[in-house]
Amino acid sequence: TGVAVYDFFIGRELNPRVGVLDLKAFCELRPGLIGWAMLNIGMMMKQHQRLGYVTGPMVAVNAFQALYVWDALYFEKAILTTMDITTDGFGFMLAFGDLGWVPFTYGLQARFLVDHDP
């Protein structure tokens, strides 16, 4: 668009690459979702450290969210048909969402359960 702030936030490049690595397709799933699952496991371990056991709700949150992550990674080719890949540029908004928002907000249920035993 020529507006520097807008172009930085939304992204001008549709599919930026470094060699053969498509940065947008890579960042869309792998780091954020795997990070989310690893943070959940860490929260489960912290709950075990604090209580001496893992509660049923924590097991359920980890199981269902791990299933979601597994499904997304197993059917990774489906990401190629999403709006993020086909039409959105790879700017700060998408990069931050993929690498920061997903792992640190999607796992808030597990974080809540560390301190609150239902």
Side-chain angles (χ1 to χ4, degrees):
T1 63
V3 179
V5 173
Y6 180 83
D7 289 344
F8 171 77
F9 189 75
I10 299 299
R12 288 186 50 102
E13 189 72 31
L14 186 59
N15 292 86
R17 293 181 177 275
V18 174
V20 296
L21 178 65
D22 184 337
L23 292 173
K24 184 165 66 168
F26 174 77
C27 288
E28 190 69 27
L29 281 180
R30 293 184 186 175
L33 291 184
I34 293 170
W36 172 22
M38 296 308 294
L39 285 170
N40 274 358
I41 291 168
M43 296 301 158
M44 187 166 55
M45 293 172 70
K46 182 65 177 179
Q47 187 184 59
H48 186 271
Q49 179 187 27
R50 292 182 80 178
L51 301 176
Y53 61 95
V54 177
T55 63
M58 180 65 86
V59 171
V61 162
N62 271 269
F64 289 126
Q65 291 182 359
L67 176 64
Y68 180 92
V69 169
W70 173 84
D71 179 71
L73 295 174
Y74 186 79
F75 295 107
E76 187 174 14
K77 289 181 184 178
I79 196 73
L80 299 176
T81 63
T82 64
M83 188 174 112
D84 285 355
I85 297 295
T86 60
T87 60
D88 291 349
F90 189 57
F92 178 80
M93 181 181 69
L94 194 59
F96 176 79
D98 293 342
L99 304 174
W101 188 259
V102 169
F104 293 106
T105 60
Y106 287 21
L108 285 177
Q109 299 91 344
R111 176 66 183 97
F112 177 83
L113 290 172
V114 169
D115 295 324
H116 300 87
D117 185 21

